[in-house]
Amino acid sequence: MTVDKTLSLMVLLLSVLTSIGAQSIPQQDLDSITLTSTRIDIPFRENSRTVNIITATDIKNSAAVNVADLLQQVAGVDIRRRGTGGSQADLFIRGGGFDQTLLLIDGIKMDDAQTGHHTMNAALPIEVIERIEIVKGPAARIFGQNAFTGAINIVTKKKLNNTLSTNVETGSFGQLNGNVTAGLDQDNSSHIVHVGRVTSAGYRTNSDYDNANYFIKSTFNEGKQPITMIATFMERKFGAQNFYTTNPTFNEYEETQNSLIAFTTTFKNENFKVRPRIYWRRNQDVFLLRRFEPEFFRNFHISDKIGVEANASYNSKYGVTGFGIDLSKIYLRSNNLGNRNRFMATAFLEHKFNLADNKLDITPGVAMTYFSDFDFNAFPGIDIGYSISDDFRLYGNVGYTYRIPTYTDLFYSDPATAGNPDLEPEEAFAQELGVKYFSKNISASIAVFNRDADNLIDYIRPNTTEGIFTATNIREVNTKGLEFDASYNFKLKGFNQTLGIGYSYLDDDILEQNPELSRYSLNTLKHQYITRFNAQLFKNVRQNIVYKYAERTTGQTYNVWDASLVMRLKKMELTITASNIFNAEYIETGFVPMPPSNVLFGFRYSFD
């Protein structure tokens, strides 16, 4: 379907349905959000870090169909995809590597010791997400060693009462998606269940995929001591043509399975709160260099992480103290990396001082971690915030951050790539200074940051005639940048409208190296600009337009336009999502061109 036909159809549907009544979606007030990714409960507008929130309203009104697409609409976040459907996407924040950003689900750390390539395998379907908290900058003292450049916490919905909804989508490239989401609220328990499948024939040779999502969240014993269980299973099967090579004779293929089961409860009284948790996270990865010749080259990895943690906070006249402990054991079984195991123990401590009639807050903290194969390390840091007025807030933070190598960094081997068992951990000292503004209709923030890193890991070859890239520590890399975010909420014809803009600039002196000698680090976003306009002109129709501009350090620039139309008719929704409307040609990572213009039609019905 051509772009002109798609836009004409969107306009036709808009005009047909303007007279049919439905309710507009209320805006979600950021002042009502308390960050759940920290031990100390901090209202969103009072935190002293750069934090972006993607609310339930944002998700509902976005032109996104998965978490990867959502995160691409946030300046400073770089999602590098190798196709549609979220089958293989890498997550970067502020120029860091894909191993340097931590993903959490309801505060549960989803890091994978094999490789950060699997981070987004754990991303949940958007139907069960309440909001997404994006913490930029060094967050090791809050979350541990994998939060080198930032962390993203996916917060799931608490309950859906007694509801049942179904969603079906179809469109370009033979896409056919379907899911069912149900909520059950009983006398002493509540449950959310989601089952979904996403398929496509692919937009280029060997780019088909078949993805399945399963999610259960249950809260038991609600009348006394509630215990929450979360269980997920995400399966991805996809053609991976030239995901990792340029050889035209290879037909690469990959299958991944990611699962989580966790139990959490909270004990609290007037001044004290403690939240213990036990969890088991597993990832399985099968990669074939030739899809129909598994005996030619096959990688098979299974990684397990079993953990127990407890996070607590205590309120006193001196402020709020947060502390916690996280114990975990990692097991890896692999035909390429060998059989490995690691024990990790992390202790967290921080205290928030409120001074000057609560206008000034100072929060020093430290995380102390023991690795059975990398000994003991500590990550101290401090956050400082000052409220100039009810609307203006100055903030700054400094801190050390740290990441030990993955097992892929240490031991991987194939004809083009070699691990290095002698690698040293990555280290960095980071600083940030920013200002935030909040009013009834406008929210804005601007921040400048600097990161002095040592021993960053990249895959390097000594010269262009050498075919093997070896994991190597790069010394003394400086990264500096600026980020700006703003949103303006206003009413037009009695309906809520939102205009958002975001810009990020990144300067990384790693660019002094020859880009032909590096495999990963030289493809960062130097300039990134995003505009989001969510509009409602009629009672039953919302439109969403997203413009993204990117200039990468390789010199590549591209402009991408996405749009969606949502028509709500009581219990029914009709959606049209158009991606890359003007058919931009671009590559986000590796050698894989992104899809041309494409469209997805959806139908949702709620039984309640």
Side-chain angles (χ1 to χ4, degrees), residues 201-485:
Y203 65 99
R204 57 192 290 269
T205 301
N206 192 30
S207 64
D208 58 298
Y209 56 82
D210 186 349
N211 303 337
N213 307 309
Y214 304 91
F215 172 88
I216 298 175
K217 182 177 182 179
S218 297
T219 302
F220 305 99
N221 198 33
E222 290 184 324
K224 295 183 179 179
Q225 180 60 49
I227 299 174
T228 299
M229 180 201 75
I230 184 171
T232 70
F233 180 79
M234 311 294 170
E235 185 175 46
R236 310 281 184 261
K237 300 178 181 179
F238 51 95
Q241 188 70 20
N242 300 133
F243 276 20
Y244 309 106
T245 77
T246 57
N247 192 320
T249 68
F250 294 158
N251 297 101
E252 297 142 275
Y253 176 76
E254 192 160 9
E255 293 184 5
T256 66
Q257 294 180 350
N258 187 285
S259 59
L260 168 71
I261 185 166
F263 295 88
T264 306
T265 190
T266 301
F267 302 94
K268 60 182 179 180
N269 57 30
E270 184 178 353
N271 295 317
F272 182 74
K273 181 179 73 172
V274 59
R275 178 176 296 154
R277 173 185 291 131
I278 183 170
Y279 62 96
W280 174 25
R281 186 247 196 218
R282 163 175 281 208
N283 193 84
Q284 179 175 300
D285 176 34
V286 179
F287 175 78
L288 304 177
L289 199 55
R290 289 182 174 169
R291 183 169 186 167
F292 305 107
E293 299 179 49
E295 68 282 356
F296 178 73
F297 184 88
R298 176 179 181 268
N299 279 333
F300 180 67
H301 320 279
I302 298 178
S303 61
D304 290 281
K305 180 183 179 183
I306 301 172
V308 177
E309 64 175 320
N311 294 302
S313 65
Y314 177 72
N315 290 276
S316 69
K317 63 180 181 179
Y318 302 107
V320 185
T321 304
F323 51 96
I325 187 168
D326 186 354
L327 308 175
S328 60
K329 182 75 173 182
I330 292 170
Y331 301 91
L332 177 73
R333 289 161 285 169
S334 168
N335 67 328
N336 190 305
L337 306 174
N339 295 333
R340 314 284 175 180
N341 66 81
R342 173 183 296 151
F343 173 75
M344 299 189 300
T346 304
F348 302 91
L349 177 64
E350 59 184 335
H351 184 84
K352 182 181 180 183
F353 297 92
N354 292 310
L355 307 169
D357 294 327
N358 292 326
K359 290 184 177 183
L360 173 67
D361 59 83
I362 302 174
T363 308
V366 64
M368 297 163 287
T369 299
Y370 169 77
F371 304 94
S372 59
D373 48 352
F374 283 94
D375 298 326
F376 176 86
N377 295 274
F379 326 117
I382 186 170
D383 301 342
I384 301 175
Y386 183 77
S387 297
I388 300 174
S389 67
D390 291 340
D391 297 332
F392 275 103
R393 179 175 177 82
L394 291 174
Y395 68 96
N397 53 78
V398 297
Y400 287 90
T401 188
Y402 183 91
R403 182 184 78 87
I404 62 174
T406 65
Y407 287 129
T408 296
D409 293 332
L410 294 167
F411 303 112
Y412 186 74
S413 177
D414 67 24
T417 310
N420 180 359
D422 297 322
L423 287 173
E424 299 178 18
E426 298 178 328
E427 302 175 359
F429 176 59
Q431 316 93 44
E432 178 181 24
L433 183 65
V435 60
K436 303 178 183 181
Y437 174 79
F438 298 96
S439 69
K440 181 179 179 181
N441 297 320
I442 298 174
S443 63
S445 67
I446 186 169
V448 293
F449 59 89
N450 181 77
R451 184 172 66 244
D452 297 299
D454 194 24
N455 291 333
L456 285 188
I457 298 170
D458 190 14
Y459 287 78
I460 301 293
R461 55 181 179 174
N463 53 65
T464 56
T465 62
E466 174 65 49
I468 298 178
F469 290 83
T470 301
T472 306
N473 288 114
I474 305 172
R475 306 224 175 239
E476 297 182 357
V477 177
N478 173 259
T479 302
K480 61 178 72 73
L482 176 146
E483 288 176 353
F484 173 75
D485 276 289

Side-chain angles (χ1 to χ4, degrees), residues 71 77 91 93 101-104 132-134 150-154:
L71 293 175
V77 178
L91 174 61
I93 290 181
T101 301
L102 179 65
L103 181 73
L104 304 97
I132 301 176
E133 303 170 351
I134 303 167
I152 293 178
N153 184 35
I154 297 176

